[in-house]
Amino acid sequence: MLNLFLFAVLCLSWGSTWVAIKVGVDEAPPLWFAGSRFVVAGVLILSLAALIDGRGSLKVNRRDAAQLAWVSALVIAVCFALIFWGEQYVSASLTAIVVQGMIPIFLPLFSVILLRDRLPAAKILSIGIGIAGLVIVFLPSVRASLSAGGAGRGNLLTLAGLTAIVIGTLSYCYGSVQSKPILARHSAVAVSGWQNVIGGVLVLAAALMFEAGAAEIGAEVSGLSARVFYAWLWLVVVGSVVGFVLYIVLLKSWGASKLSPYAFVTPIVAIGIEYLLYGRLINRSEAAGMAALFIAVYLALRNPDSARIKKKQND
């Protein structure tokens, strides 16, 4: 019963982050908003790692340091810089649908490419259906951008935002597979903390290069509303620290397969919160794309071997 409660809190935490990102990037410079969130969250997670596993767990040997920096750039800097930038032009619910739908589908694909894992027929089918779902999601923006009277700036920015979110998610999947050797040798909590700090610093550096100088960002940030600060604080504390701790606890207690339905629940949470705050519901195209992605996620997460074992035990 406690685990079910923790699972519900996890889904609410991670589902709400997509709306918190939207609240923030509607006013704040997106790269600064993302970078500062991850640096502070990373420091908190490293402090947690020191408490749980001791200060020695924070040490990373020279062999792994360069790989950790590379992985941090992929799973935090590239991924979330693009997602935060893209969500300026895409709704929170659609962002959640695309990201949560893509990760369980494309992680196995990169495992095959990089680690030479076997790709079962069900997972091949899930990739095909997932790509079809993405096409359905993209289609309205592409049509509007290409139509004679619809090639307006808004349609092009929506298309660019969706593209950035997809590329960012692919970067996360690629980096996650490459991080497996480091996770095998180091504490998962410590690795996550370092990824947040290193990735956050890289995003802040990009903010200084592409958004404005430090003085201009400081002036812009000082004029932000309280709701942006609360959204930032929510992302740091609830999205990063609380969400990560709950995920680790449930992963140890339940295992990956039983925990995997969070990929279905978090987009629904994002849709509900966005409706309550903004009165926005997903349209038919988004609903169709979500349905296709959910089918693809189900096929990607399904374990036919364990199902056969259970059937055999019942027989």
Side-chain angles (χ1 to χ4, degrees):
M1 195 69 182
L2 175 61
N3 284 339
L4 283 173
F5 172 75
L6 294 178
F7 178 77
V9 175
L10 173 67
C11 293
L12 285 170
S13 301
W14 279 356
S16 65
T17 57
W18 304 108
V19 182
I21 292 170
K22 186 67 176 175
V23 171
V25 299
D26 277 349
E27 292 185 37
L31 298 183
W32 171 86
F33 191 70
S36 59
R37 173 254 179 120
F38 285 110
V39 169
V40 175
V43 170
L44 292 175
I45 293 172
L46 286 174
S47 302
L48 190 65
L51 285 172
I52 296 171
D53 301 316
R55 291 183 181 180
S57 68
L58 304 185
K59 294 180 181 179
V60 178
N61 57 48
R62 287 186 179 181
R63 181 181 64 172
D64 289 335
Q67 181 69 8
L68 179 59
W70 168 239
V71 167
S72 302
L74 290 171
V75 301
I76 299 294
V78 175
C79 170
F80 286 100
L82 289 172
I83 287 175
F84 274 61
W85 181 86
E87 201 170 328
Q88 294 177 102
Y89 313 111
V90 178
S91 70
S93 52
L94 185 55
T95 303
I97 291 166
V98 171
V99 175
Q100 296 293 169
M102 284 183 63
I103 289 174
I105 299 166
F106 287 94
L107 266 175
L109 179 61
F110 283 115
S111 291
V112 170
I113 295 170
L114 298 174
L115 305 179
R116 300 186 183 278
D117 287 350
R118 187 175 65 87
L119 195 63
K123 285 187 169 55
I124 295 172
L125 181 60
S126 78
I127 292 168
I129 296 173
I131 291 171
L134 289 175
V135 170
I136 293 169
V137 167
F138 268 77
L139 210 53
S141 296
V142 173
R143 282 177 176 169
S145 299
L146 295 178
S147 64
R153 179 177 169 80
N155 293 319
L156 290 173
L157 286 174
T158 300
L159 188 58
L162 276 170
T163 303
I165 290 164
V166 167
I167 294 171
T169 308
L170 290 173
S171 177
Y172 176 86
C173 295
Y174 179 74
S176 294
V177 173
Q178 292 216 329
S179 68
K180 285 184 178 181
I182 299 173
L183 286 168
R185 292 189 290 270
H186 298 279
S187 158
V189 183
V191 169
S192 176
W194 283 122
Q195 285 178 346
N196 275 262
V197 170
I198 296 167
V201 168
L202 292 174
V203 178
L204 285 177
L208 291 175
M209 286 189 289
F210 298 112
E211 289 181 336
E216 288 83 354
I217 288 180
E220 189 171 350
V221 168
S222 64
L224 294 174
S225 65
R227 68 198 294 265
V228 174
F229 171 73
Y230 292 134
W232 179 88
L233 193 63
W234 185 269
L235 287 169
V236 170
V237 177
V238 178
S240 291
V241 180
V242 174
F244 177 75
V245 170
L246 289 176
Y247 182 80
I248 293 297
V249 169
L250 287 168
L251 192 62
K252 288 181 177 179
S253 176
W254 273 0
S257 60
K258 194 171 180 180
L259 183 56
S260 59
Y262 84 88
F264 297 95
V265 181
T266 48
I268 296 170
V269 171
I271 291 167
I273 294 174
E274 190 168 47
Y275 175 73
L276 290 174
L277 291 181
Y278 297 104
R280 183 192 184 277
L281 282 174
I282 59 173
N283 57 40
R284 288 181 182 178
S285 177
E286 292 168 356
M290 181 175 74
L293 284 167
F294 275 12
I295 293 169
V297 170
Y298 170 76
L299 290 171
L301 296 176
R302 186 167 157 267
N303 189 343
D305 292 333
S306 65
R308 279 197 294 269
I309 291 169
K310 282 183 181 178
K311 186 177 183 300
K312 199 170 183 181
Q313 288 173 344
N314 292 334
D315 293 344

